[in-house]
Amino acid sequence: MSFIKQISDYDWETIKSFIYNKTAKDVENALGKQRPTVDDFMAMISPAAEPYLEQMAILSRKYTLQRYGNTIQFYVPLYLTNSCVNYCVYCGFNKNNDIKRIILTEEQIMQEVKAIKQMGDFQHILLVTGENSRGAGVDYIENVIRLIKPYFSSISIEVQPLKEKEYKQLTNAGLNAVYCYQETYNKTRYKIYHPKGIKSKFDWRLDGFDRMGKAGIHKIGLGVLIGLEDWRTDVTMMAFHLQYLQKTYWQTKYSISFPRIRPHKGEGFGPNVIMTDKELAQIIFAYRIFNHDIEIALSTREDVMFRDNMLTLGITSLSAGSKTSPGGYAVYRNKLEQFSVNDSRSPTDVAQVVKEKGYEVVWKDWDLSLQ
Ligand code: SF4
């Protein structure tokens, strides 16, 4: 079983035209349902839903409070390497870019961990790598998980898609969650953004989610990169994917996010599509109304005002104090970043804003703290 077979039933242009033909009546129908379908989801993210944003925000807030209470989970990324065999046109770690390549040693990783712990009481850490199976493959990642396990209650990864047995290997070492971005579900245009390297293989990447499910990963995170293709069609394809995964691997928890392309080193790739703050809010509300249980994360790619405004309206997870380069916290002090962050406040400052809004910061992984 794999989503690769199912995705061939969803023609990109047909889905797009469904979305753009939705009417105000379709939106009202969708908002009146307790459990909207993907067809209803299309109505909620369509241009026809723009006048209903306030009503959507109220519903999104209500469902988030019912499921998560007034809490926000904090996590911090730790970049282990910027070495990468891929050529993604939108990324500062693209193999073509003439930058210093680093793979952190055990000693350097512990320096980073110490600096992270000095910033805040983080218990949930996200390990990030470029894709370099030779230099930073599964054994390297396993070793890092074992090394830092005593200091964190929840360890997630955002690395190259792995084999099923490799996901199992990392789970046995203490891995809790895997985040992977398909970037775009438009298979025809995928290769334009991922011209060479293992990441150019659309099916291998897409099938990775099934491999995670089969390996029994506790939580799987999905996402599309906003700025490549029509975002309404991409997030709908992701809704189909999410629905398939939840049905097939029902014991797994799920998380989503919608990173927007940020400035980075290398030859300029400007976004093909610009998504406004209002539109990003619309997707977040629509996803929450569509799926009451899903974790929705917002990273420091987004600016202070947007993050603060969205705190109580649907998101459940925030990164804070993030450095997007290997050694960024202590060893190299953010000289080699993947992209520039938009919210550079300290975790303490962000936590203060969360408190002022009447919410509580959860430093460890939400799902794990419920077990
Ligand atoms: S997005 Fe990931 S895979 Fe692509 S070049 Fe950047 S680090 Fe490598």
Side-chain angles (χ1 to χ4, degrees):
M1 194 173 303
S2 166
F3 187 66
I4 290 177
K5 283 193 189 137
Q6 198 164 317
I7 199 176
S8 53
D9 294 343
Y10 307 127
D11 175 65
W12 181 274
E13 291 304 326
T14 308
I15 301 283
K16 188 173 174 184
S17 103
F18 278 160
I19 298 166
Y20 284 86
N21 283 312
K22 292 290 182 193
T23 62
K25 195 163 182 304
D26 295 326
V27 180
E28 286 167 18
N29 277 342
L31 295 180
K33 289 188 185 169
Q34 180 67 16
R35 291 281 167 193
T37 61
V38 178
D39 192 54
D40 297 318
F41 175 80
M42 289 190 233
M44 292 189 284
I45 51 131
S46 73
E50 280 164 21
Y52 296 86
L53 214 55
E54 200 175 324
Q55 195 180 334
M56 288 173 67
I58 292 168
L59 278 176
S60 173
R61 178 176 155 80
K62 181 178 113 179
Y63 293 138
T64 312
L65 277 169
Q66 279 172 0
R67 168 65 177 83
Y68 288 88
N70 53 348
T71 56
I72 294 286
Q73 178 208 111
F74 268 26
Y75 70 95
V76 67
L78 170 55
Y79 279 66
L80 298 172
T81 178
N82 58 359
S83 66
C84 189
V85 297
N86 292 312
Y87 297 80
C88 309
V89 296
Y90 47 78
C91 178
F93 295 169
N94 179 323
K95 196 174 177 194
N96 274 336
N97 284 344
D98 183 19
I99 55 169
K100 186 176 159 98
R101 305 285 173 166
I102 307 288
I103 300 176
L104 293 185
T105 62
E106 286 189 10
E107 193 188 330
Q108 289 173 324
I109 291 165
M110 290 317 298
Q111 276 178 263
E112 294 287 282
V113 166
K114 198 171 160 202
I116 285 172
K117 287 289 181 181
Q118 280 167 355
M119 280 197 312
D121 184 25
F122 285 105
Q123 286 297 319
H124 181 188
I125 192 160
L126 171 66
L127 302 176
V128 186
T129 67
E131 299 195 3
N132 176 357
S133 294
R134 285 204 183 147
V138 69
D139 292 339
Y140 171 82
I141 299 164
E142 179 187 358
N143 190 40
V144 177
I145 291 172
R146 293 192 187 282
L147 179 72
I148 66 169
K149 206 171 151 191
Y151 309 95
F152 298 94
S153 64
S154 170
I155 302 175
S156 308
I157 55 168
E158 188 185 321
V159 306
Q160 64 272 26
L162 302 173
K163 295 176 186 160
E164 184 184 331
K165 66 175 186 190
E166 293 173 328
Y167 284 126
K168 281 187 182 150
Q169 178 185 340
L170 296 185
T171 300
N172 291 339
L175 176 69
N176 301 110
V178 180
Y179 295 79
C180 185
Y181 299 98
Q182 187 61 29
E183 318 296 10
T184 177
Y185 286 84
N186 188 329
K187 189 171 179 177
T188 318
R189 301 212 9 115
Y190 179 87
K191 199 123 189 177
I192 296 172
Y193 311 112
H194 312 98
K196 286 189 286 179
I198 183 77
K199 195 166 170 179
S200 66
K201 297 182 190 308
F202 180 91
D203 284 355
W204 168 252
R205 193 165 191 86
L206 189 63
D207 195 45
F209 296 89
D210 280 276
R211 298 194 297 275
M212 292 168 208
K214 286 173 192 156
I217 293 291
H218 175 73
K219 180 159 66 186
I220 296 175
L222 302 89
V224 288
L225 183 60
I226 305 291
L228 300 181
E229 292 297 310
D230 177 73
W231 58 264
R232 290 188 168 93
T233 313
D234 253 334
V235 300
T236 301
M237 294 296 235
M238 192 167 83
F240 280 122
H241 193 185
L242 176 65
Q243 200 174 53
Y244 160 85
L245 290 169
Q246 284 189 308
K247 215 168 147 192
T248 314
Y249 311 105
W250 55 272
Q251 285 173 314
T252 302
K253 309 278 179 198
Y254 294 91
S255 171
I256 48 168
S257 59
F258 316 95
R260 293 189 280 190
I261 291 177
R262 293 280 307 137
H264 60 85
K265 281 214 168 58
E267 283 176 25
F269 171 80
N272 292 330
V273 198
I274 300 289
M275 171 190 268
T276 64
D277 284 358
K278 220 167 148 186
E279 289 168 337
L280 180 51
Q282 185 183 353
I283 318 184
I284 291 171
F285 302 155
Y287 254 105
R288 173 60 67 222
I289 300 166
F290 171 63
N291 187 315
H292 303 182
D293 297 330
I294 194 133
E295 176 186 288
I296 304 181
L298 209 54
S299 78
T300 52
R301 281 176 184 258
E302 302 304 334
D303 68 24
V304 172
M305 196 188 288
F306 185 77
R307 275 164 48 97
D308 289 358
N309 285 339
M310 291 306 295
L311 267 178
T312 60
L313 296 179
I315 62 151
T316 54
S317 186
L318 266 189
S319 56
S322 307
K323 305 292 181 204
T324 65
S325 57
Y329 298 100
V331 182
Y332 296 103
R333 298 262 173 209
N334 215 22
K335 283 187 192 134
L336 307 160
E337 62 183 10
Q338 186 185 31
F339 58 88
S340 5
V341 298
N342 234 335
D343 180 355
S344 51
R345 290 174 297 177
S346 71
T348 319
D349 289 346
V350 182
Q352 184 57 32
V353 174
V354 173
K355 276 186 207 146
E356 282 163 12
K357 288 188 181 274
Y359 276 56
E360 187 192 332
V361 175
V362 179
W363 294 89
K364 58 165 76 173
D365 184 276
W366 226 99
D367 290 313
L368 293 174
S369 58
L370 282 178
Q371 286 178 343

